[in-house]
Amino acid sequence: MPPSDADPGPPEGQGLAVAAETLYLVNLLLVPGVAFVILLVLYFRHRASAPALALGHLQQTVAASLWAGLLLILVNGLILWLGGYDRASTWMVLLLYFVSCHAALVLLGVVGLARAMAGKPYRYPLIGPRLPTGN
Amino acid sequence: MQYQSQAVAKPYFIAAIALFVGQILFGLILGLQYVVGDFLFPEIPFNVARMVHTNLLIVWLLFGFMGAAYYMIPEESETELHSPKLALLLFWVFLVAGALTVVGYLAVPYATLAKMTGNELLPTMGREFLEQPTITKIGIVVVMLGFLYNVGMTVLKGRKTTVSVVLMIGLVLLAVLFLFAFYNPHNLVKDKFYWWWVVHLWVEGVWELIMASILAFVLIKITGVDREVVDKWLYVIIALALITGIIGTGHHYYYIGTPTYWLWWGSIFSALEPIPFFMMTVFAFNMVNKRRRNHPNKAATLWALGTAVMAFLGAGVWGFMHTLAPVNFYTHGSQITAAHGHLAFYGAYVMIVLTMISYAMPLMRGRAAANSNKSQVVEMWSFWLMTVSMVFITLFLTGAGILQVWLQRYSEDPQPFMVVQEKIALFYWMREVAGVIFLIGLLLYIASFFVGRNEPEAVAK
């Protein structure tokens, strides 16, 4: 029998949780779309069987990615459409909005990734659904 | 405080904060001069105010770094500092030299100062950020050599840790690269080329090593996470900082007469520069989430996390925004640069020095681990006031910069510089208001040292 202070090892589902958060960040920073598709595949493949920790991170990152798409693509498209392509004010609002919003979404992902690496659940503020029971 | 000699850091930190106040006051004067052109003219012309604002920043950060090193090195090396007396002597030399230089900037015209200080013997003056008289620059070298000798001897006789070695590498390279301030070729392209070896390789190279080591030190202390874990993060972060930062110097070589391959090298490597800052943010949050103890100094934890986040935003995101050559073709030297400069310096270097002060000062003032709750609440208010107002300063300057680029450089009918400046005055006014709030935050920060002094120490929950 191992001693009581032995390292219990990573919590169940931590690898999947880290993968979900990483894909969320990769979707925002490196290969938008492709990483999201992989994240969706992970989600649909594991949603019935994943441990609570992993399921929580998968649900959060899928929801946050959808919000990110809405906030970054739709809202920017709206700004461009309403403001007009050839106006300085449009580009000022658009760039300020895009950079601030994108950076905020990335920072939320960083916190999510750090929580996943520590084996802890994380709910994205405002845009994340409720955590599944067990978290 | 484990070693008596760590106390020499205290005057360095006090001087750093005093000079920080001076820097912000001159920043407010400058901000007002953007919209009220003759404010305080001819007593403090714009170019002089700007010089004092930027030089004070550099000097107080150096005070902060030296104070941090004097605090960290004995603890990391598990031995007393080699010579506390030398540390105090160098403190006064540096402070007097710095004060005389600022008085010189303010009291006489710059050309007269150059003449008075014998600049013609070894001309080094007249370049942005390196405006100090040659004699002051020699003084800085002497102080740095004495400082490196002092901390170096301490490291050599004691325990060597990754944190202390990374800090030492950063400090030695800081001193070595400063020597390029003495190289002043007639060829303007060469001049700019090597000028960046001081300016860029400091802030986007070796200062990152200093920053990462201070952050690692504070995180080890407040989280109790294993040193081995922190060391691994540190290796990766500093490797990435150097790999991206050194060749990333190329983003300053666009369109200044250097070969065109710098457009590619600069763009590619500086586009990668946000990575170490991103890693630092993950590192800081990861350490705090994996903490083995709850440290009672909540304010220091807040500063440490804030440093990582704001450095990523200021140096990483706002740097990336205008680092690619085709973008920089339009944005170079506009208010977008000013926005990036403000947030990057604040996030990366101001905040890391304040993190260190926040952690070390209570211990140097006789507390076992942290200030009273009351004091920490005031300090955390100052954190939020300064940080949020700096975010607004950055957003206002970015807005001003985008309009400036559009009206002055991008549109089919470009307008003259001063015409555009008038059109973006509203942003400058808003920046000034945010600057006043920043000053209030800074004053609160100072007040936090005096509030709740007689109250019991905060305890970990």
Side-chain angles (χ1 to χ4, degrees), chain B residues 8-17 63-64 66-67 70 87-88 90-91:
Chain B
V8 296
K10 198 171 169 183
Y12 281 86
F13 289 151
I14 293 170
I17 295 168
F63 267 110
M66 286 195 270
Y70 282 131
L88 287 174
L90 292 175
F91 166 77

Side-chain angles (χ1 to χ4, degrees), chain B residues 318-329:
Chain B
W318 255 258
F320 181 80
M321 198 192 289
H322 60 144
T323 205
L324 301 175
V327 176
N328 200 263
F329 181 78

Side-chain angles (χ1 to χ4, degrees), chain B residues 187 257 380:
Chain B
N187 182 314
M380 288 195 266

Side-chain angles (χ1 to χ4, degrees), chain B residues 11-286:
Chain B
Y12 281 86
F13 289 151
I14 293 170
I17 295 168
L19 295 173
F20 185 19
V21 174
Q23 187 218 340
I24 299 309
L25 289 176
F26 274 89
L28 287 174
I29 291 171
L30 268 176
L32 210 48
Q33 286 177 340
Y34 264 89
V35 276
V36 184
D38 54 359
F39 178 66
L40 288 183
F41 186 84
E43 286 77 19
I44 307 178
F46 179 86
N47 63 314
V48 173
R50 187 178 187 277
M51 198 161 59
V52 176
H53 179 63
T54 54
N55 279 219
L56 278 177
L57 168 70
I58 296 164
V59 172
W60 88 255
L61 289 178
L62 290 178
F63 267 110
F65 290 162
M66 286 195 270
Y70 282 131
Y71 188 88
M72 287 164 62
I73 292 293
E75 206 163 306
E76 286 294 295
S77 305
E78 294 182 335
T79 180
E80 292 287 357
L81 187 69
H82 178 67
S83 173
K85 278 184 187 164
L86 177 62
L88 287 174
L89 173 72
L90 292 175
F91 166 77
W92 286 110
V93 171
F94 196 32
L95 188 65
V96 171
L100 283 177
T101 302
V102 171
V103 169
Y105 288 160
L106 294 168
V108 294
Y110 190 67
T112 311
L113 182 66
K115 210 169 193 179
M116 281 167 63
T117 53
N119 185 58
E120 70 275 9
L121 297 172
L122 176 59
T124 67
M125 293 175 73
R127 291 174 298 167
E128 198 181 3
F129 309 127
L130 300 179
E131 295 96 343
Q132 310 85 38
T134 303
I135 186 94
T136 305
K137 289 195 183 88
I138 293 171
I140 292 172
V141 171
V142 171
V143 168
M144 284 308 293
L145 283 176
F147 161 73
L148 288 174
Y149 164 76
N150 208 357
V151 288
M153 291 301 284
T154 314
V155 171
L156 285 177
K157 75 174 173 182
R159 180 179 66 149
K160 282 90 182 160
T161 65
T162 306
V163 170
S164 64
V165 170
V166 170
L167 179 65
M168 283 305 297
I169 294 172
L171 293 168
V172 169
L173 289 176
L174 181 154
V176 169
L177 290 166
F178 184 68
L179 297 178
F180 285 95
F182 292 91
Y183 181 52
N184 192 10
H186 287 292
N187 182 314
L188 198 59
V189 178
K190 268 187 163 180
D191 175 33
K192 275 288 178 192
F193 190 92
Y194 290 106
W195 177 79
W196 283 116
W197 283 32
V198 186
V199 179
H200 171 94
L201 289 179
W202 263 19
V203 298
E204 293 175 61
V206 298
W207 283 25
E208 283 181 44
L209 271 59
I210 299 170
M211 178 201 172
S213 61
I214 298 175
L215 188 62
F217 175 83
V218 173
L219 287 173
I220 287 171
K221 299 293 170 187
I222 59 180
T223 64
V225 169
D226 277 348
R227 202 173 264 276
E228 290 74 21
V229 178
V230 174
D231 286 355
K232 282 173 194 160
W233 277 97
L234 204 51
Y235 289 134
V236 176
I237 288 168
I238 64 159
L240 283 168
L242 292 176
I243 290 166
T244 60
I246 292 173
I247 303 179
T249 318
H251 65 204
H252 300 291
Y253 294 161
Y254 304 153
Y255 320 115
I256 65 164
T258 52
T260 48
Y261 56 73
W262 281 113
L263 299 177
W264 286 98
W265 285 107
S267 294
I268 292 166
F269 278 85
S270 63
L272 301 174
E273 277 189 63
I275 297 174
F277 289 103
F278 176 82
M279 298 277 297
M280 241 183 267
T281 316
V282 179
F283 162 59
F285 279 94
N286 191 25

Side-chain angles (χ1 to χ4, degrees), chain A residues 88 91-92 110 115 117 120, chain B residues 278 285 289-290 313 406 427:
Chain A
W91 286 100
M92 189 194 69
V110 168
R115 297 280 297 177
M117 288 166 82
K120 293 176 179 174
Chain B
F278 176 82
F285 279 94
N289 274 303
K290 283 184 169 173
L313 290 177
W406 184 282
F427 290 92

Side-chain angles (χ1 to χ4, degrees), chain B residues 356-392:
Chain B
M356 191 66 209
I357 295 176
S358 180
Y359 170 75
M361 209 56 151
L363 304 172
M364 286 192 288
R365 297 174 84 205
R367 298 282 196 181
N371 280 329
S372 64
N373 276 326
K374 202 174 187 179
S375 168
Q376 288 195 50
V377 167
V378 176
E379 190 181 340
M380 288 195 266
W381 265 96
S382 81
F383 168 92
W384 287 111
L385 278 175
M386 282 197 275
T387 305
V388 171
S389 57
M390 184 51 78
V391 167
F392 276 99

Side-chain angles (χ1 to χ4, degrees), chain A residues 13-129:
Chain A
Q14 190 183 6
L16 202 50
V18 171
E21 297 290 351
T22 306
L23 284 167
Y24 167 79
L25 284 167
V26 172
N27 183 47
L28 281 174
L29 294 168
L30 288 175
V31 274
V34 177
F36 179 62
V37 170
I38 301 171
L39 177 64
L40 280 181
V41 170
L42 268 189
Y43 173 71
F44 284 112
R45 188 176 284 180
H46 295 281
R47 65 180 169 162
S49 59
L53 176 71
L55 185 63
H57 281 278
L58 279 168
Q59 285 177 347
Q60 294 293 318
T61 48
V62 169
S65 297
L66 290 170
W67 272 104
L70 188 79
L71 291 167
L72 294 175
I73 299 168
L74 272 185
V75 175
N76 275 309
L78 210 61
I79 292 171
L80 208 55
W81 182 57
L82 291 174
Y85 179 81
D86 209 19
R87 287 177 64 183
S89 55
T90 305
W91 286 100
M92 189 194 69
V93 172
L94 188 144
L95 286 170
L96 278 178
Y97 169 77
F98 181 82
V99 174
S100 307
C101 185
H102 184 258
L105 289 164
V106 170
L107 284 173
L108 292 179
V110 168
V111 179
L113 178 62
R115 297 280 297 177
M117 288 166 82
K120 293 176 179 174
Y122 177 64
R123 183 179 179 184
Y124 280 71
L126 302 175
I127 56 175

